[in-house]
Amino acid sequence: MVTFGGIFCVVILAVMLPCLDVALGQSTDPSEVDALGAIKRSLLDPMNNLENWNRGDPCTSNWTGVFCHIINDALHVTELQLFKRNLSGTLAPEVSLLSQLKTLDFMWNNLTGSIPKEIGNITTLKLILLNGNQLSGFLPDEIGNLQSLNRLQIDQNQILGPIPKSFANLRNVKHLHMNNNSLSGKIPSELWRIPLLLHLLVDNNNLSGPLPTELAKSPVLKILQADNNNFSGSSIPSTYSNIKTLLKLSLRNCNLQGAIPDLSAISELGYLILAGTN
Ligand SMILES: *[C@@H]1O[C@H](CO)[C@@H](O)[C@H](O)[C@H]1NC(C)=O
Ligand SMILES: *[C@@H]1O[C@H](CO)[C@@H](O)[C@H](O)[C@H]1NC(C)=O
Ligand SMILES: *[C@@H]1O[C@H](CO)[C@@H](O)[C@H](O)[C@H]1NC(C)=O
Ligand SMILES: *[C@@H]1O[C@H](CO)[C@@H](O)[C@H](O)[C@H]1NC(C)=O
Ligand SMILES: *[C@@H]1O[C@H](CO)[C@@H](O)[C@H](O)[C@H]1NC(C)=O
Ligand SMILES: *[C@@H]1O[C@H](CO)[C@@H](O)[C@H](O)[C@H]1NC(C)=O
Ligand SMILES: *[C@@H]1O[C@H](CO)[C@@H](O)[C@H](O)[C@H]1NC(C)=O
């Protein structure tokens, strides 16, 4: 029987080989299939939005929110688009096995737990969109490894702890939207080194300490929002008059005091909001 089985298998393989050749290029990388399984198992999906996540191949059987590309002759998951799908539960660390992922989009769900540090292994990531959930825990330092990251949106969660200094290494990031969380500690002075940073939104957190004077060296910063924090009676750094690209500076209710620096050299500053300060 064993021998027969072996021969049978060889015959079948020989017949199918031409098809397999094509099929190999058309089925999703197996570790990514496993990763999607792990992601689904950690989520709660009361509306069964991911019901088709067990039918056929993720990339070729139209799994909800899964988008793929052929990279080096194999199908890889490049986007997870799962905004507003009534999902809760947690984001599994196995997400990092999606080694070609560019977009991780779980906006406007009810995810809990923390952002897994393994996310820092997905070097292809461009967009991390996790705003509007109930994520807590600390921001992983490892996010600072993401050299392709263009946008980090984690606003409107319950994330705690400091803004990692490692974010200064995000050489392609333009948008850091971290408002409406419970971040604490100082705004790291190193953030000025992010060469392309346009929007730094940290309002509605529990940040303290002085506003970093070094941010003035930020080369292209357009929007700085830090309202509703507690900068413990420090003043607005006079160096901020050097942020010539600034369009909006919003520092409402954040326990600043002292003189308002002369910002008249910032020709396009359209919004200067200092209400509720001293
Ligand atoms: C893929 O599934 C969506 C619903 O999940 C459906 O609207 C769409 O028509 C499907 N596309 C194909 C090619 O089957
Ligand atoms: C999410 O839940 C709301 C309220 O039950 C419902 O109206 C909406 O259609 C659901 N959306 C999805 C994508 O499941
Ligand atoms: C999240 O949970 C809250 C409270 O349980 C509920 O009101 C809200 O509709 C949920 N939102 C989504 C997108 O599931
Ligand atoms: C992924 O990240 C974790 C935690 O940051 C690390 O320990 C692990 O070595 C990484 N794995 C790979 C394959 O890079
Ligand atoms: C952020 O929090 C403030 C204060 O609680 C609130 O007024 C504001 O609407 C929130 N912003 C967003 C975008 O939810
Ligand atoms: C804000 O941070 C202070 C310490 O800096 C802490 O005592 C307080 O509980 C925090 N408040 C919130 C709402 O997280
Ligand atoms: C702001 O921080 C100071 C300590 O630095 C503290 O005494 C004060 O209570 C805080 N204010 C608010 C509104 O949290």
Side-chain angles (χ1 to χ4, degrees), residues 4 45 61-62 94 109 155 188 190 201 215 264-265 278:
F4 175 75
D45 177 21
S61 305
N62 193 25
E94 286 86 349
N109 285 287
D155 48 294
E190 293 83 354
L201 313 186
L215 262 193
S264 58
N278 298 309

Side-chain angles (χ1 to χ4, degrees), residues 160 181-185 205-208 230:
L160 300 165
N181 279 291
S182 297
L183 298 171
S184 55
N205 278 294
N206 193 17
L207 297 167
S208 58
N230 184 0

